[in-house]
Every structure is written in C-alpha cells, then in structure tokens.
Amino acid sequence: MPTVDARPAPFTFDNDSTALLVIDMQRDFLLPGGFGESLGNDVAQLSRTIQPLAALLAAWRGAGLPIIHTREGHRPDLSDCPPAKLRRGAPAMRIGDPGAFGRILIQGEYGHDIVDELAPLDGEVVLDKPGKGAFYATDLQEILDKLGTTRLIVTGVTTEVCVHTTVREANDRGYECLVLADCVGSYFPEFQRVGLEMIAAQGGIFGWVADSPTVIAAIQEQK
C-alpha cells in the first residue's frame, strides 16, 4: 500500500478505500472581486493552492481514483440558509446579494461554481453543501459508503473553516484523514499554520498532515 511521509507519522492508504475530497474551490472564495475579497481578505492566500491541487488532480485521475468536489452555497430562495449565516459579511455584501459573479454563494450562479483550473470532469461527484462541513445536510456519508471509502485525502478552502469542520466530522465518523498543507488555504497565514498544527497534534487527534508531492509520488510508484 502507498505510504507518505506525514505528521505526526507516516500515512498509509489503500487505493481501493481512499477518496480525494476537494472542498469549496469556488470563484466566490478564490477570485479577485469575489465574496472573499469583498470582506477584505487576500485571495492570493487561497489561489496559491490551485497549481499544486491541479497537479494532484491530474495524478489522482491518472490512477483512476475517486474524487469528490464540494461547493458551499444555497438555494435561490435562501430557505436552507439560517439567519445567523445570512448576517455574515458586510451589510451590503452578504449571501444572496448581487456580487461581481452573480448572487453571492447561490447555486447556479457563476461565482458559486469551481474555478476553471480545477473544474470537475464528467463522472466526478460534485456535492452541494449548505453548511461548513461536507457531511452536514448532504449525501457524503452514503457516497463514501458506496465507494467503500475509509480514508480521505483532504484539500480545499478554507483551512480553519470548511476544511477543519469536515475533517472533524469525518474523524467522528471513523474516517482517517490526510490533509495536504499546500492544497489547503486560509486568508490568514496564522490560521493556516495553527489549523494544520491542530489536526496533527496529540498524535494526530484529527488526522495527518503532508504535502501533495509525497502523495503524487506514492501514487506514481503504484503504476
């Protein structure tokens, strides 16, 4: 089985029981002028993940392994968005309001979709989620059960919010998670650093942390 150098210890995975999870690599979060930048954030802190993640996707696809993409967003009528979440953002730039890429975080809008460089291919799962965690109010558990998945390679944004929430949810459900430091991003460098430390702390309380080249190398060694 492939093994990668990781913190706090090497991570071993079986191709038949491992899926790649790509969390919320959406235009609203990553592109200049989008929702993320409208809140005063530096989107370059997230866009740096695109190139390594694209390389990982290419290797993962080449090995024929399962990929699940998620998109955070809501129905056009906002019926699945609680008031507490609607209050996020600036008063004139909140979920459902007009933004540079259409209504902010609304399903079907240009900004809600995944950036072009990481666009899902036909046959790859694209899971719309209304919350921060990928398990909340979605079919992710059922999808993973059908795939026979016990391990997740976790990528996406943001490290301390949707990535962390999903890893914690996965940990509670018994999944072993490897988070790739160069393929996850936060608008805040300190949150990035601490978020990754929290995952691998105490012997891997939530999972493992590594970099994508180690995973790519492990996949290619199996060919």
Side-chain angles (χ1 to χ4, degrees), residues 80-101:
D80 60 347
C81 187
K85 189 174 184 182
L86 278 174
R87 288 193 289 269
R88 291 176 58 201
M93 192 66 71
R94 291 178 172 164
I95 294 171
D97 288 343
F101 307 126

Side-chain angles (χ1 to χ4, degrees), residues 17 21 24 27 59 120-121 149 156 207:
S17 61
L21 188 58
D24 300 356
R27 298 180 182 115
L121 300 184
T149 300

Side-chain angles (χ1 to χ4, degrees), residues 39-55:
L39 300 178
N41 296 312
D42 177 9
V43 294
Q45 296 293 333
L46 302 194
S47 61
R48 65 161 184 80
T49 65
I50 293 175
Q51 183 175 352
L53 186 44

Side-chain angles (χ1 to χ4, degrees), residues 68 125 127-130 134-146:
I68 300 167
V125 175
L127 192 68
D128 287 322
K129 62 185 185 68
F135 287 89
Y136 170 69
T138 74
D139 297 327
L140 181 56
Q141 179 82 64
E142 291 78 5
I143 292 167
L144 296 177
D145 286 346
K146 288 180 181 177

Side-chain angles (χ1 to χ4, degrees), residues 21-24 70 129 131-136 140 144 152 154-155 157-173 175 177 179 206:
L21 188 58
V22 184
I23 298 174
D24 300 356
T70 74
K129 62 185 185 68
K132 298 173 179 65
F135 287 89
Y136 170 69
L140 181 56
L144 296 177
L152 295 170
V154 183
T155 65
V157 299
T158 60
T159 303
E160 76 279 9
V161 184
C162 295
V163 171
H164 239 273
T165 303
T166 298
V167 167
R168 289 166 183 250
E169 290 178 331
N171 180 261
D172 281 344
R173 289 164 171 80
Y175 295 97
C177 294
V179 179
F206 294 120

Side-chain angles (χ1 to χ4, degrees), residues 193-204:
R193 182 185 67 79
V194 174
L196 293 172
E197 287 184 0
M198 290 172 69
I199 289 168
Q202 301 181 67

